[in-house]
């Protein structure tokens, strides 16, 4: 059984702070297809934040380009999101997901990802 567990959130950060989210993948998963981070706020659709493809190619939402960096550990069992220069609008629940589409773009349909974590809350306050 594939399980994903996010960590690093669940604390209040100030505008301009940095934060690193981590995701551990356990069980078998062809995670190399595409691994990514999404976020969601109440009443809104889940949106892609950052993706990393099998070949290491990355894709970012325009709203986080230059501020967030996605990386993948060896054996593709860990996924991280380094977040800097946090803004109020970064407040959301963040989810990691694996076995996404081959094209692995930040605007990929969330339904194309096979496995998801439970989410970790990121709150940015002024």
């Amino acid at each position: 059984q594939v399980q994903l567990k996010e960590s690093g959130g669940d604390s209040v950060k100030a505008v301009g702070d940095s934060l690193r989210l981590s995701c551990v993948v356990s069980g078998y998963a062809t995670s190399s297809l595409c691994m990514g981070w999404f976020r969601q706020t109440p009443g809104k659709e889940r949106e892609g934040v950052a993706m990393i493809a099998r070949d290491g190619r990355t894709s970012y939402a325009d709203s986080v380009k230059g501020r967030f960096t996605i990386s993948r550990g060896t054996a593709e069992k860990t996924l991280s999101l380094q977040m800097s220069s946090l803004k109020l609008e970064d407040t959301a629940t963040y989810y990691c997901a694996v076995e996404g589409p081959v094209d692995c773009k930040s605007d990929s349909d969330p339904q194309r990802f096979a496995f998801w974590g439970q989410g970790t809350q990121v709150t940015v306050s002024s």
Side-chain angles (χ1 to χ4, degrees):
Q1 181 178 0
V2 177
Q3 292 185 324
L4 285 72
K5 177 64 176 176
E6 302 97 339
S7 62
D10 299 325
S11 64
V12 179
K13 308 298 289 186
V15 171
D17 277 357
S18 296
L19 181 66
R20 185 177 183 88
L21 302 182
S22 297
C23 175
V24 177
V25 182
S26 59
Y28 173 78
T30 312
S31 56
S32 60
L33 285 176
C34 179
M35 305 175 78
W37 288 95
F38 291 78
R39 66 187 181 187
Q40 188 170 23
T41 55
K44 293 188 176 181
E45 294 185 353
R46 193 167 296 188
E47 64 171 353
V49 175
M51 309 295 160
I52 186 164
R54 181 176 184 177
D55 60 2
R57 172 176 43 89
T58 57
S59 177
Y60 296 92
D62 288 343
S63 59
V64 306
K65 280 181 181 176
R67 301 189 298 119
F68 291 10
T69 302
I70 188 172
S71 60
R72 183 179 59 208
T74 56
E76 298 162 345
K77 290 298 185 180
T78 60
L79 183 69
S80 298
L81 184 68
Q82 180 66 45
M83 309 163 68
S84 61
S85 302
L86 285 168
K87 301 178 179 180
L88 294 174
E89 52 263 42
D90 294 322
T91 295
T93 301
Y94 284 72
Y95 301 88
C96 63
V98 300
E99 288 200 22
V102 174
D103 56 358
C104 205
K105 298 290 183 63
S106 62
D107 60 354
S108 295
D109 185 346
Q111 294 188 14
R112 299 181 68 187
F113 284 75
F115 301 102
W116 291 84
Q118 293 297 310
T120 186
Q121 178 66 35
V122 173
T123 302
V124 183
S125 174
S126 58

CSV table of all heavy atoms in Angstrom, one decimal, residues 42-80:
chain,number,residue,atom,x,y,z
A,42,PRO,N,-10.0,26.7,1.5
A,42,PRO,CA,-11.4,26.5,1.5
A,42,PRO,C,-12.2,27.2,0.4
A,42,PRO,O,-12.0,28.3,0.1
A,42,PRO,CB,-11.8,27.0,2.9
A,42,PRO,CG,-10.6,26.9,3.7
A,42,PRO,CD,-9.5,27.2,2.8
A,43,GLY,N,-13.0,26.4,-0.3
A,43,GLY,CA,-13.8,26.9,-1.3
A,43,GLY,C,-13.2,27.0,-2.7
A,43,GLY,O,-13.8,27.5,-3.6
A,44,LYS,N,-11.9,26.7,-2.7
A,44,LYS,CA,-11.2,26.8,-4.0
A,44,LYS,C,-10.7,25.4,-4.5
A,44,LYS,O,-10.6,24.5,-3.7
A,44,LYS,CB,-10.0,27.7,-3.9
A,44,LYS,CG,-10.4,29.2,-3.7
A,44,LYS,CD,-9.2,30.1,-3.8
A,44,LYS,CE,-9.6,31.5,-3.6
A,44,LYS,NZ,-8.4,32.4,-3.7
A,45,GLU,N,-10.5,25.3,-5.7
A,45,GLU,CA,-9.9,24.0,-6.3
A,45,GLU,C,-8.5,23.8,-5.9
A,45,GLU,O,-7.8,24.8,-5.7
A,45,GLU,CB,-10.1,24.0,-7.8
A,45,GLU,CG,-11.5,24.0,-8.3
A,45,GLU,CD,-11.6,23.8,-9.8
A,45,GLU,OE1,-10.6,23.9,-10.4
A,45,GLU,OE2,-12.7,23.7,-10.3
A,46,ARG,N,-8.1,22.6,-5.8
A,46,ARG,CA,-6.7,22.3,-5.6
A,46,ARG,C,-5.9,22.7,-6.7
A,46,ARG,O,-6.2,22.4,-7.9
A,46,ARG,CB,-6.6,20.8,-5.3
A,46,ARG,CG,-5.3,20.3,-4.7
A,46,ARG,CD,-5.3,18.9,-4.2
A,46,ARG,NE,-6.3,18.8,-3.1
A,46,ARG,CZ,-6.4,17.6,-2.4
A,46,ARG,NH1,-5.6,16.6,-2.7
A,46,ARG,NH2,-7.3,17.6,-1.4
A,47,GLU,N,-4.8,23.4,-6.5
A,47,GLU,CA,-3.9,23.9,-7.6
A,47,GLU,C,-2.5,23.4,-7.4
A,47,GLU,O,-2.0,23.2,-6.3
A,47,GLU,CB,-3.9,25.4,-7.5
A,47,GLU,CG,-3.3,26.1,-6.3
A,47,GLU,CD,-3.1,27.6,-6.4
A,47,GLU,OE1,-3.3,28.1,-7.5
A,47,GLU,OE2,-2.6,28.2,-5.4
A,48,GLY,N,-1.9,23.2,-8.6
A,48,GLY,CA,-0.5,22.7,-8.6
A,48,GLY,C,0.4,23.8,-8.2
A,48,GLY,O,0.2,25.0,-8.6
A,49,VAL,N,1.4,23.5,-7.5
A,49,VAL,CA,2.4,24.5,-7.0
A,49,VAL,C,3.7,24.2,-7.7
A,49,VAL,O,4.3,25.1,-8.3
A,49,VAL,CB,2.6,24.4,-5.5
A,49,VAL,CG1,3.7,25.3,-5.1
A,49,VAL,CG2,1.3,24.7,-4.8
A,50,ALA,N,4.2,23.0,-7.6
A,50,ALA,CA,5.5,22.6,-8.2
A,50,ALA,C,5.5,21.1,-8.5
A,50,ALA,O,5.0,20.3,-7.7
A,50,ALA,CB,6.6,23.0,-7.2
A,51,MET,N,6.2,20.8,-9.6
A,51,MET,CA,6.3,19.4,-10.1
A,51,MET,C,7.7,19.1,-10.4
A,51,MET,O,8.5,20.0,-10.8
A,51,MET,CB,5.4,19.2,-11.3
A,51,MET,CG,4.0,19.6,-11.2
A,51,MET,SD,3.0,18.7,-10.0
A,51,MET,CE,1.7,19.8,-9.6
A,52,ILE,N,8.1,17.8,-10.3
A,52,ILE,CA,9.4,17.4,-10.7
A,52,ILE,C,9.2,16.0,-11.4
A,52,ILE,O,8.6,15.1,-10.9
A,52,ILE,CB,10.4,17.2,-9.5
A,52,ILE,CG1,11.7,16.9,-10.0
A,52,ILE,CG2,9.9,16.2,-8.5
A,52,ILE,CD1,12.8,17.1,-9.0
A,53,ALA,N,9.7,16.0,-12.6
A,53,ALA,CA,9.6,14.8,-13.5
A,53,ALA,C,10.7,13.8,-13.3
A,53,ALA,O,11.7,14.1,-12.5
A,53,ALA,CB,9.5,15.3,-14.9
A,54,ARG,N,10.6,12.7,-13.9
A,54,ARG,CA,11.5,11.7,-13.8
A,54,ARG,C,12.9,12.1,-14.2
A,54,ARG,O,13.9,11.7,-13.5
A,54,ARG,CB,11.1,10.5,-14.7
A,54,ARG,CG,12.1,9.3,-14.6
A,54,ARG,CD,11.5,8.1,-15.4
A,54,ARG,NE,12.3,6.9,-15.2
A,54,ARG,CZ,12.1,5.8,-15.8
A,54,ARG,NH1,11.0,5.7,-16.6
A,54,ARG,NH2,12.9,4.8,-15.6
A,55,ASP,N,13.0,13.0,-15.2
A,55,ASP,CA,14.3,13.4,-15.6
A,55,ASP,C,14.9,14.6,-14.8
A,55,ASP,O,15.9,15.2,-15.2
A,55,ASP,CB,14.3,13.7,-17.1
A,55,ASP,CG,13.3,14.8,-17.5
A,55,ASP,OD1,12.7,15.4,-16.5
A,55,ASP,OD2,13.2,15.1,-18.7
A,56,GLY,N,14.1,15.0,-13.8
A,56,GLY,CA,14.5,16.1,-13.0
A,56,GLY,C,14.0,17.5,-13.4
A,56,GLY,O,14.2,18.5,-12.7
A,57,ARG,N,13.3,17.5,-14.5
A,57,ARG,CA,12.7,18.7,-15.0
A,57,ARG,C,11.7,19.2,-14.0
A,57,ARG,O,10.9,18.4,-13.5
A,57,ARG,CB,12.1,18.5,-16.4
A,57,ARG,CG,11.3,19.6,-17.0
A,57,ARG,CD,10.8,19.2,-18.4
A,57,ARG,NE,10.4,17.8,-18.5
A,57,ARG,CZ,9.1,17.4,-18.2
A,57,ARG,NH1,8.2,18.3,-17.9
A,57,ARG,NH2,8.8,16.2,-18.4
A,58,THR,N,11.7,20.5,-13.7
A,58,THR,CA,10.7,21.0,-12.8
A,58,THR,C,9.8,22.0,-13.5
A,58,THR,O,10.1,22.6,-14.5
A,58,THR,CB,11.5,21.8,-11.6
A,58,THR,OG1,12.3,22.8,-12.2
A,58,THR,CG2,12.3,20.8,-10.8
A,59,SER,N,8.6,22.2,-12.8
A,59,SER,CA,7.6,23.1,-13.3
A,59,SER,C,7.0,23.8,-12.1
A,59,SER,O,6.6,23.1,-11.2
A,59,SER,CB,6.6,22.4,-14.2
A,59,SER,OG,5.6,23.2,-14.6
A,60,TYR,N,6.8,25.1,-12.2
A,60,TYR,CA,6.3,25.9,-11.1
A,60,TYR,C,5.1,26.7,-11.5
A,60,TYR,O,5.1,27.2,-12.7
A,60,TYR,CB,7.4,26.8,-10.5
A,60,TYR,CG,8.5,26.1,-9.9
A,60,TYR,CD1,9.7,25.8,-10.6
A,60,TYR,CD2,8.5,25.7,-8.6
A,60,TYR,CE1,10.7,25.1,-10.1
A,60,TYR,CE2,9.6,25.0,-8.0
A,60,TYR,CZ,10.7,24.7,-8.8
A,60,TYR,OH,11.8,24.1,-8.2
A,61,ALA,N,4.2,26.9,-10.6
A,61,ALA,CA,3.1,27.9,-10.8
A,61,ALA,C,3.7,29.3,-10.9
A,61,ALA,O,4.7,29.5,-10.2
A,61,ALA,CB,2.1,27.8,-9.7
A,62,ASP,N,3.2,30.1,-11.7
A,62,ASP,CA,3.7,31.5,-11.8
A,62,ASP,C,3.8,32.2,-10.4
A,62,ASP,O,4.7,33.0,-10.2
A,62,ASP,CB,2.9,32.3,-12.8
A,62,ASP,CG,3.1,31.9,-14.2
A,62,ASP,OD1,4.1,31.2,-14.5
A,62,ASP,OD2,2.2,32.2,-15.0
A,63,SER,N,2.8,31.9,-9.6
A,63,SER,CA,2.7,32.6,-8.3
A,63,SER,C,3.9,32.2,-7.3
A,63,SER,O,4.1,32.9,-6.4
A,63,SER,CB,1.4,32.2,-7.6
A,63,SER,OG,1.3,30.8,-7.4
A,64,VAL,N,4.6,31.1,-7.6
A,64,VAL,CA,5.7,30.7,-6.7
A,64,VAL,C,7.0,30.7,-7.4
A,64,VAL,O,8.1,30.4,-6.7
A,64,VAL,CB,5.4,29.4,-6.1
A,64,VAL,CG1,4.0,29.3,-5.4
A,64,VAL,CG2,5.5,28.2,-7.1
A,65,LYS,N,7.1,31.0,-8.6
A,65,LYS,CA,8.4,31.0,-9.3
A,65,LYS,C,9.4,31.9,-8.7
A,65,LYS,O,9.0,33.1,-8.4
A,65,LYS,CB,8.2,31.4,-10.8
A,65,LYS,CG,7.7,30.2,-11.7
A,65,LYS,CD,7.5,30.7,-13.1
A,65,LYS,CE,7.0,29.6,-14.0
A,65,LYS,NZ,6.8,30.0,-15.4
A,66,GLY,N,10.6,31.4,-8.5
A,66,GLY,CA,11.6,32.2,-7.9
A,66,GLY,C,11.6,32.2,-6.4
A,66,GLY,O,12.5,32.7,-5.7
A,67,ARG,N,10.5,31.7,-5.8
A,67,ARG,CA,10.4,31.6,-4.3
A,67,ARG,C,10.4,30.2,-3.8
A,67,ARG,O,10.9,30.0,-2.7
A,67,ARG,CB,9.1,32.3,-3.9
A,67,ARG,CG,9.0,33.8,-4.3
A,67,ARG,CD,7.8,34.5,-3.6
A,67,ARG,NE,6.6,33.9,-4.0
A,67,ARG,CZ,5.7,33.3,-3.1
A,67,ARG,NH1,6.0,33.3,-1.8
A,67,ARG,NH2,4.6,32.8,-3.6
A,68,PHE,N,9.9,29.3,-4.5
A,68,PHE,CA,9.8,27.9,-4.1
A,68,PHE,C,10.7,27.0,-5.0
A,68,PHE,O,10.9,27.3,-6.1
A,68,PHE,CB,8.3,27.4,-4.3
A,68,PHE,CG,7.3,28.0,-3.3
A,68,PHE,CD1,7.6,29.1,-2.5
A,68,PHE,CD2,6.0,27.4,-3.3
A,68,PHE,CE1,6.7,29.6,-1.7
A,68,PHE,CE2,5.1,28.0,-2.4
A,68,PHE,CZ,5.4,29.1,-1.6
A,69,THR,N,11.2,26.0,-4.3
A,69,THR,CA,12.1,25.0,-5.0
A,69,THR,C,11.7,23.6,-4.6
A,69,THR,O,11.6,23.3,-3.4
A,69,THR,CB,13.5,25.2,-4.7
A,69,THR,OG1,13.9,26.6,-5.0
A,69,THR,CG2,14.4,24.3,-5.4
A,70,ILE,N,11.4,22.8,-5.6
A,70,ILE,CA,11.0,21.4,-5.4
A,70,ILE,C,12.3,20.6,-5.6
A,70,ILE,O,13.1,20.8,-6.5
A,70,ILE,CB,9.9,21.0,-6.3
A,70,ILE,CG1,9.4,19.6,-5.9
A,70,ILE,CG2,10.3,21.0,-7.8
A,70,ILE,CD1,8.1,19.2,-6.7
A,71,SER,N,12.4,19.5,-4.8
A,71,SER,CA,13.5,18.6,-4.9
A,71,SER,C,13.1,17.2,-4.5
A,71,SER,O,12.1,17.0,-3.8
A,71,SER,CB,14.7,19.1,-4.1
A,71,SER,OG,14.4,19.1,-2.7
A,72,ARG,N,13.8,16.3,-5.0
A,72,ARG,CA,13.5,14.9,-4.8
A,72,ARG,C,14.7,14.1,-4.2
A,72,ARG,O,15.8,14.4,-4.7
A,72,ARG,CB,13.1,14.3,-6.2
A,72,ARG,CG,12.6,12.9,-6.2
A,72,ARG,CD,12.2,12.5,-7.6
A,72,ARG,NE,13.4,12.6,-8.5
A,72,ARG,CZ,13.3,12.8,-9.8
A,72,ARG,NH1,12.1,13.0,-10.3
A,72,ARG,NH2,14.4,12.9,-10.5
A,73,GLY,N,14.4,13.3,-3.3
A,73,GLY,CA,15.5,12.5,-2.7
A,73,GLY,C,15.9,11.4,-3.5
A,73,GLY,O,15.2,11.0,-4.5
A,74,THR,N,17.0,10.7,-3.2
A,74,THR,CA,17.4,9.5,-3.9
A,74,THR,C,16.3,8.4,-3.6
A,74,THR,O,15.6,8.4,-2.6
A,74,THR,CB,18.8,9.0,-3.4
A,74,THR,OG1,18.7,8.8,-2.0
A,74,THR,CG2,19.8,10.1,-3.7
A,75,ALA,N,16.3,7.5,-4.6
A,75,ALA,CA,15.3,6.4,-4.6
A,75,ALA,C,13.8,7.0,-4.6
A,75,ALA,O,12.9,6.2,-4.5
A,75,ALA,CB,15.4,5.6,-3.3
A,76,GLU,N,13.7,8.3,-4.8
A,76,GLU,CA,12.4,8.9,-5.1
A,76,GLU,C,11.4,8.5,-4.0
A,76,GLU,O,10.2,8.4,-4.2
A,76,GLU,CB,11.9,8.4,-6.4
A,76,GLU,CG,12.8,8.9,-7.5
A,76,GLU,CD,12.6,8.2,-8.8
A,76,GLU,OE1,11.9,7.1,-8.8
A,76,GLU,OE2,13.0,8.7,-9.9
A,77,LYS,N,12.0,8.4,-2.7
A,77,LYS,CA,11.1,8.2,-1.6
A,77,LYS,C,10.8,9.4,-0.8
A,77,LYS,O,10.1,9.4,0.2
A,77,LYS,CB,11.7,7.1,-0.7
A,77,LYS,CG,11.7,5.7,-1.4
A,77,LYS,CD,10.3,5.2,-1.7
A,77,LYS,CE,10.4,3.8,-2.2
A,77,LYS,NZ,9.0,3.3,-2.5
A,78,THR,N,11.5,10.5,-1.1
A,78,THR,CA,11.2,11.8,-0.4
A,78,THR,C,11.0,12.9,-1.4
A,78,THR,O,11.6,12.9,-2.5
A,78,THR,CB,12.4,12.1,0.5
A,78,THR,OG1,13.6,12.2,-0.2
A,78,THR,CG2,12.5,11.0,1.6
A,79,LEU,N,10.2,13.8,-1.0
A,79,LEU,CA,10.0,15.0,-1.9
A,79,LEU,C,10.0,16.2,-0.9
A,79,LEU,O,9.4,16.1,0.1
A,79,LEU,CB,8.6,14.9,-2.6
A,79,LEU,CG,8.2,16.0,-3.5
A,79,LEU,CD1,9.1,15.9,-4.8
A,79,LEU,CD2,6.8,15.8,-3.9
A,80,SER,N,10.6,17.3,-1.4
A,80,SER,CA,10.7,18.5,-0.5
A,80,SER,C,10.2,19.7,-1.3
A,80,SER,O,10.3,19.7,-2.5
A,80,SER,CB,12.1,18.7,0.0
A,80,SER,OG,12.5,17.6,0.8
